[in-house]
Amino acid sequence: MRRYDAAEHINVGTGEDLTIRELAETVRDIVHPGAELAFDATKPDGTPKKLLDVSRLHALGWRHRIGLGEGIESSYRWILENRDHARGADKGAAA
């Protein structure tokens, strides 16, 4: 961001598309592999594509180095390793 000073927003992402099902399966496989996913087929599908346009970011030379699965796994591992500390902080804040 040192090379960007325009007023327009910049999307940060991988530029790779995936479905909601694929995202849910990725999270499930990392967080709770034995879980069964249920989708309500009676609800509308919503926007068919939810891919961010990362062309401005790429034009600045930035590319993601961590894939989605690796990022979710790393974040989840951090949460598990730090949840007791975070709960302690919550108790102190409530007092």
Side-chain angles (χ1 to χ4, degrees):
M1 298 315 305
R2 291 182 188 109
R3 296 185 303 235
Y4 188 78
D5 61 2
E8 294 87 19
H9 72 276
I10 290 203
N11 291 322
V12 177
T14 64
E16 300 166 2
D17 199 9
L18 76 157
T19 66
I20 298 299
R21 177 181 292 275
E22 290 168 331
L23 176 59
E25 289 171 347
T26 299
V27 172
R28 185 252 345 253
D29 292 347
I30 292 166
V31 174
H32 189 10
E36 183 177 329
L37 297 176
F39 296 92
D40 185 350
T42 66
K43 303 292 185 225
D45 289 338
T47 307
K49 289 205 161 250
K50 295 171 179 63
L51 178 63
L52 292 175
D53 177 2
V54 294
S55 60
R56 286 187 195 153
L57 193 61
H58 285 184
L60 293 170
W62 188 90
R63 298 283 191 278
H64 72 282
R65 294 182 303 224
I66 299 172
L68 180 64
E70 182 184 352
I72 293 171
E73 186 174 354
S74 173
S75 297
Y76 184 58
R77 188 176 335 107
W78 185 92
I79 290 167
L80 292 177
E81 291 170 357
N82 292 280
R83 65 181 166 194
D84 290 338
H85 175 70
R87 285 184 181 147
D90 287 344
K91 290 178 186 174

